[in-house]
Amino acid sequence: MSTRSRHEARWTDERSTASGRLPRNQWWVLPLLLVALALVLFVAWRVYNGVGTVTYEVRQCQQPLTEDSSWGEVQSAGCDPADVGEMPDSMLLMRGEEPVEPDRTEGAVLAWDGWAVNSPEHSVQLRLEDPAETIVVAEPTNQRIRTGLSGDTADVRWGGFIGGRGPTEYWVLITPSSP
């Protein structure tokens, strides 16, 4: 009697027996691959969206600024850090239509952890006690004004679209209304 390999046809000889290993199912490989794929997709999403801590420093200015103001005008406007004591409840970042409160407050700085910096749905909403003349959002690292916020008729509720692909540090420059 002769032996044949598993890949040989059965009709070679009726009396021959097959040699070699039976195929084994490696069932545990599929869940392992799915977990690895999910991990890679999560890490890629975090890198692509630039997930990190975003900070907004609130500053009160002596002169009004607009979206078209230069960085020299920002420096000469006399913008000093303002204590935000009660402001955490009144300054929110918007993730689409979902308001997100700051994770922590340190002096004039409000911080949001785990924020997708490169997300295109980044906007800000402020509610002030006293009316403001203008509010602009600036990028101190790039030394430019990013956007001007628009207010309601009483100038106490302000909001605007910040946009994506920006830095992680912003200044909110508030010019109070003159009495």
Side-chain angles (χ1 to χ4, degrees):
M1 179 177 317
S2 65
T3 61
R4 65 178 173 84
S5 295
R6 292 203 175 273
H7 69 277
E8 292 181 306
R10 178 163 277 203
W11 49 264
T12 55
D13 187 19
E14 287 182 8
R15 295 171 286 150
S16 63
T17 59
S19 64
R21 294 177 50 191
L22 291 172
R24 296 179 186 226
N25 291 334
Q26 306 287 332
W27 64 269
W28 55 270
V29 173
L30 187 58
L32 183 66
L33 287 175
L34 290 175
V35 168
L37 178 66
L39 181 65
V40 166
L41 288 175
F42 177 71
V43 170
W45 176 83
R46 284 185 63 91
V47 170
Y48 179 75
N49 282 319
V51 175
T53 300
V54 175
T55 60
Y56 281 80
E57 183 176 348
V58 179
R59 293 176 165 247
Q60 191 168 0
C61 300
Q62 304 303 319
Q63 299 172 0
L65 298 166
T66 65
E67 193 169 330
D68 300 324
S69 297
S70 68
W71 190 252
E73 290 173 320
V74 170
Q75 291 177 326
S76 65
C79 300
D80 296 322
D83 187 24
V84 292
E86 306 265 332
M87 194 171 219
D89 295 341
S90 28
M91 182 169 174
L92 305 170
L93 287 187
M94 304 294 286
R95 186 179 292 129
E97 294 182 11
E98 172 194 1
V100 181
E101 294 182 5
D103 293 317
R104 63 184 184 280
T105 305
E106 300 166 4
V109 179
L110 301 160
W112 284 263
D113 296 325
W115 191 261
V117 177
N118 296 336
S119 171
E121 52 185 16
H122 184 173
S123 60
V124 66
Q125 181 180 26
L126 277 104
R127 189 175 59 243
L128 304 173
E129 291 181 17
D130 298 323
E133 186 174 339
T134 63
I135 298 179
V136 295
V137 177
E139 301 175 5
T141 53
N142 298 330
Q143 295 187 347
R144 72 180 186 103
I145 292 184
R146 180 136 181 139
T147 188
L149 302 182
S150 48
D152 64 356
T153 56
D155 290 333
V156 292
R157 293 180 65 97
W158 293 79
F161 178 68
I162 301 299
R165 308 257 183 234
T168 57
E169 181 183 355
Y170 295 97
W171 286 353
V172 178
L173 305 174
I174 302 173
T175 306
S177 290
S178 38

